[in-house]
Amino acid sequence: MIKICPLGKYSHRQPLAYAPLRKACAGALQLVEQPQVSDILLIAHSKDLESCAEILAAHPDKRIVLLSEEPFWDTIWGADPFARDQVYDQGGVRFPFRVLNHSTSDIFAFERVPYFLMTEHKFAARYACRFQRNARKSAADWKAAFQAPALQAAFVAERRLGERFAVSFPENDTYGLCRFRSLLTLSYQREPVLRAGLGWRKGGRRQALADWHLDKLQELDGRCRFVSALENTHQPAYLTEKFFDAFAVGGVPLYYASDSHRVHRCVPAGGWVNLFGQTPEEAVETIDNFAFDAAFFDTYTETQARLAETFGSPRALLADRDRFCAALIGEMQSLCDRPLTRETH
């Protein structure tokens, strides 16, 4: 049993903080509250390297792991999003640590159900219901539904226009999308358009709602032609609920995916709009010229059926959960099996 002590403000945003994954790993990984009884000290955000630096440095007999679930955090705040073994060295405090994220390990390399959808049971349950409903519709039904929707497009995401939110690493197929997404939201003018999220309309962050995910599904269900599913960051193994939400509410997802992105394992091309490599102006033109033809409706109908099969039974989710847990446990075991020194893990 490997004992892990989570530290820092973001300790609630790492895999073992979520009950389904914590229970699935319980035979090999155990959370503890005191650093001195742990094998591994775990942080979830590079910001916590600094806030917890003295605690981390005070335990030279412990392995230190930065386990990040967010490429957005890694690329905006991380010193190096792509190096597994790093050394913190600031203000006279120095210690080595291991980085485990979407780019430095295979932990998040899903087959059909991405990591974020495994963190809470509600995602699979809600998708099972909606995709089974959607799969009962024919291509002709979808053609009728898309003819006169209440909304031409819906953009639900925080407004972030700063240049820092466009930081990209093309050599690693990793691109910041927040600025692109916000500029597209501003540029798209074919009304009616819903623009929601912090900075677009009055109110606080949507995450402060009692159930932000259900609120989104209810607000958009059956009302949209296009639904923005653009992530904070393009990273080939990173896929959140946004893409699935768009299909679940009966809209066409607007997404950004290179050929190597794992989204292509989930659904066929042709049933969604891929804006990869485009400027916001080019993206507007692509959306406006999107062809709602017979080929699209056939593919869209096929996609809804495939998603109904994926979420209609626990088979796919359990397979990806087991793969995820095996990869995470393997990384932790490998770390603990290596000799511990002051300079490297």
Side-chain angles (χ1 to χ4, degrees), residues 7-25:
L7 298 171
K9 176 182 177 181
Y10 294 87
S11 61
H12 65 296
R13 291 290 306 276
Q14 49 83 18
L16 297 176
Y18 305 106
L21 296 177
R22 184 171 63 251
K23 291 178 181 178
C25 294

Side-chain angles (χ1 to χ4, degrees), residues 250-267:
V252 179
L254 305 177
Y255 207 65
Y256 191 101
S258 68
D259 290 343
S260 65
H261 200 290
R262 287 179 176 263
V263 71
H264 300 294
R265 299 169 182 245
C266 299
V267 298

Side-chain angles (χ1 to χ4, degrees), residues 6-314:
L7 298 171
K9 176 182 177 181
Y10 294 87
S11 61
H12 65 296
R13 291 290 306 276
Q14 49 83 18
L16 297 176
Y18 305 106
L21 296 177
R22 184 171 63 251
K23 291 178 181 178
C25 294
L29 306 178
Q30 177 186 356
L31 293 186
V32 297
E33 296 182 357
Q34 300 300 322
Q36 57 269 27
V37 300
S38 69
D39 301 300
I40 293 174
L41 302 180
L42 182 73
I43 55 173
H45 195 305
S46 55
K47 287 183 178 180
D48 284 337
L49 282 172
E50 183 174 354
S51 64
C52 299
E54 292 187 3
I55 298 175
L56 296 170
H59 296 278
D61 60 327
K62 311 298 181 187
R63 278 80 173 172
I64 300 171
V65 173
L66 168 55
L67 176 60
S68 173
E69 64 178 27
E70 280 283 353
F72 176 62
W73 297 345
D74 304 330
T75 54
I76 299 295
W77 290 282
D80 187 341
F82 309 106
R84 273 172 66 88
D85 291 303
Q86 302 185 34
V87 175
Y88 179 89
D89 191 357
Q90 294 186 34
V93 178
R94 179 182 174 88
F95 53 83
F97 63 98
R98 169 68 55 85
V99 177
L100 299 176
N101 61 27
H102 285 73
S103 296
T104 64
S105 77
D106 291 330
I107 293 174
F108 300 96
F110 70 93
E111 290 297 325
R112 295 178 65 188
V113 180
Y115 161 74
F116 190 71
L117 303 188
M118 297 187 286
T119 59
E120 295 187 62
H121 294 307
K122 67 182 182 183
F123 294 113
R126 288 168 182 173
Y127 292 147
C129 177
R130 284 167 173 78
F131 288 132
Q132 287 174 11
R133 174 200 65 183
N134 293 352
R136 290 192 288 268
K137 295 185 178 182
S138 66
D141 293 331
W142 286 115
K143 183 177 181 179
F146 279 116
Q147 284 186 347
L151 294 169
Q152 172 68 14
F155 298 88
V156 183
E158 186 171 335
R159 179 174 173 143
R160 292 175 171 139
L161 290 168
E163 291 288 347
R164 67 184 302 200
F165 297 117
V167 61
S168 296
F169 307 85
E171 67 278 13
N172 297 105
D173 202 11
T174 301
Y175 306 88
L177 295 181
C178 291
R179 177 173 166 81
F180 170 84
R181 183 176 62 195
S182 297
L183 289 173
L184 177 59
T185 304
L186 282 171
S187 301
Y188 194 79
Q189 296 297 321
R190 183 171 289 191
E191 301 292 340
V193 175
L194 172 69
R195 300 175 182 86
L198 187 66
W200 295 110
R201 63 185 183 186
K202 293 182 179 179
R205 294 178 181 272
R206 296 186 62 258
Q207 287 76 5
L209 296 172
D211 193 328
W212 59 268
H213 185 243
L214 184 59
D215 178 82
K216 177 185 177 182
L217 294 180
Q218 290 179 329
E219 183 170 11
L220 302 186
D221 197 30
R223 302 183 63 221
C224 309
R225 179 171 281 126
F226 297 105
V227 178
S228 173
L230 296 164
E231 309 285 6
N232 293 330
T233 310
H234 173 285
Q235 200 283 338
Y238 182 66
L239 181 63
T240 69
E241 84 292 345
K242 299 178 182 67
F243 186 76
F244 299 94
D245 286 352
F247 279 116
V249 301
V252 179
L254 305 177
Y255 207 65
Y256 191 101
S258 68
D259 290 343
S260 65
H261 200 290
R262 287 179 176 263
V263 71
H264 300 294
R265 299 169 182 245
C266 299
V267 298
W272 50 285
V273 184
N274 192 351
L275 304 175
F276 181 75
Q278 299 185 17
T279 66
E281 294 75 21
E282 291 169 340
V284 169
E285 185 174 351
T286 296
I287 299 166
D288 284 343
N289 293 326
F290 186 77
F292 285 86
D293 55 17
F296 162 75
F297 289 114
D298 287 343
T299 303
Y300 193 82
T301 304
E302 175 192 346
T303 300
Q304 292 287 355
R306 182 184 295 192
L307 292 173
E309 189 275 329
T310 296
F311 293 100
S313 77

